Amino acid sequence: MAVLRYLQSMTASHTDPYQLARDAAAAIAEASGVPSHDLALTLGSGWSGAADLLGETVWQADATSIPGFRPPAVAGHVGTLRSIQIEGTGARALVLGARTHFYEGAGVDAVVHGVRTAAATGARTMVLTNGCGGINPSWTPGTPVLISDQINFTGATPLAGANFVDLTDLYTPALREIAREVDPSLDEGVYMQFSGPTYETPAEVQMAKTIGAHLVGMSTALEAIAAREAGLDVLGISLVTNLAAGISGEKLSHEEVLEAGREAGPRISRLLAETVRRITAPATAGGAA
Ligand code: 8IG
């Protein structure tokens, strides 16, 4: 019987994605010496430099050393996990430099493993960043845009069963407010996640525009759903690295994406660092209890 129970427990941790996330969180706590985290960030295309401005890195490791994390498939993504002590507030941030994309074909649970792990470390807030295509022609490459809402066009979901999660305020309004205090010039837009790995056709971009999207990308929407399921507040910020196909007449290239990220790096790093500092600042006396 003991052997049977052992085999069942092994099977459970290998098939239950929530258990795998708890195992990953325990491994992070053990390896880092940081028992819990307050906030987590996923750094997408163009955003990897932002971690350095957040505060002191107290631990970092190759993500593949932690259960459930896969090596990154995209040039420009860094497969590193970091625990950072936020400058000024002392809060603990878990930085996920590795993202598994839906187009890798590893399944939705692999895509949202980082978010579920963040929740299991104790994080209450998930900051999701990405590089994406912009539909609004005034958003030149290198423009950061707050995500106000999303359209999940992947045909997939991280949830299973009769789990009717409300997504009315998926991207927490109070967090968007804080980001706009840091940079009042920030625009907002609806992010539409396509499956990828192709960029859209111009006709698909026109469809996206017609149904209410302003940003098109290959990440974030599935992760935001998993974050909300876990009860996390969500902040999403896109870096428009290219105009979506057919908007400018130019062809899209991954090189262009990397270049826009490099140029916008300092500005978006400061935006992210200051926003996270304010999110994690303790409430001032006289403020909300
Ligand atoms: I960076 O134009 C980046 N990622 N779907 N479309 C989609 N994903 C993207 C794009 C884009 N640019």
Side-chain angles (χ1 to χ4, degrees):
M1 278 315 279
V3 170
L4 182 57
R5 271 199 303 278
Y6 171 74
L7 286 173
Q8 282 169 339
S9 74
M10 289 294 290
T11 309
S13 66
H14 283 272
T15 56
D16 175 1
Y18 301 92
Q19 184 58 47
L20 186 59
R22 287 191 291 271
D23 292 348
I28 289 169
E30 162 105 22
S32 68
V34 180
S36 70
H37 287 82
D38 303 301
L39 169 147
L41 306 98
T42 298
L43 302 180
S45 301
W47 293 87
S48 57
D52 294 323
L53 277 190
L54 291 170
E56 184 196 348
T57 297
V58 298
W59 169 79
Q60 72 175 42
D62 191 321
T64 55
S65 70
I66 300 298
F69 285 89
R70 296 160 45 85
V74 182
H77 292 233
V78 186
T80 305
L81 298 178
R82 294 207 216 182
S83 178
I84 293 182
Q85 187 157 21
I86 300 300
E87 176 91 39
T89 72
R92 303 293 186 158
L94 180 68
V95 176
L96 307 158
R99 171 181 256 145
T100 294
H101 287 87
F102 187 62
Y103 56 69
E104 293 173 47
V108 189
D109 287 325
V111 170
V112 303
H113 178 62
V115 169
R116 286 182 176 150
T117 297
T121 68
R124 307 297 310 147
T125 304
M126 189 73 224
V127 180
L128 298 170
T129 65
N130 62 54
C132 74
I135 293 179
N136 178 342
S138 72
W139 294 336
T140 53
T143 304
V145 178
L146 278 176
I147 303 177
S148 60
D149 199 350
Q150 71 180 31
I151 297 170
N152 171 14
F153 197 62
T154 64
T157 170
L159 310 190
N163 193 357
F164 305 115
V165 176
D166 173 59
L167 302 181
T168 304
D169 280 326
L170 179 53
Y171 293 90
T172 310
L175 296 181
R176 277 143 60 194
E177 200 54 50
I178 290 173
R180 271 199 307 267
E181 280 167 25
V182 173
D183 182 350
S185 75
L186 275 178
D187 278 341
E188 290 196 345
V190 173
Y191 180 93
M192 182 163 173
Q193 180 175 0
F194 283 81
S195 300
T198 57
Y199 295 120
E200 295 70 36
T201 64
E204 287 164 345
V205 170
Q206 286 308 309
M207 172 193 70
K209 181 177 175 180
T210 302
I211 67 176
H214 309 104
L215 306 160
V216 288
M218 303 179 198
S219 68
T220 303
L222 294 168
E223 296 156 52
I225 292 170
R228 175 43 51 91
E229 182 202 20
L232 304 184
D233 283 323
V234 182
L235 176 66
I237 317 180
S238 286
L239 176 68
V240 173
T241 57
N242 56 275
L243 288 177
I247 298 289
S248 77
E250 300 285 315
K251 291 200 178 195
L252 275 53
S253 79
H254 189 58
E255 268 314 303
E256 169 196 31
V257 164
L258 295 179
E259 177 60 23
R262 273 192 292 272
E263 280 179 19
R267 177 185 172 201
I268 63 177
S269 296
R270 282 196 303 275
L271 165 65
L272 197 61
E274 180 58 17
T275 301
V276 166
R277 202 188 63 72
R278 292 190 191 201
I279 291 172
T280 59
T284 52

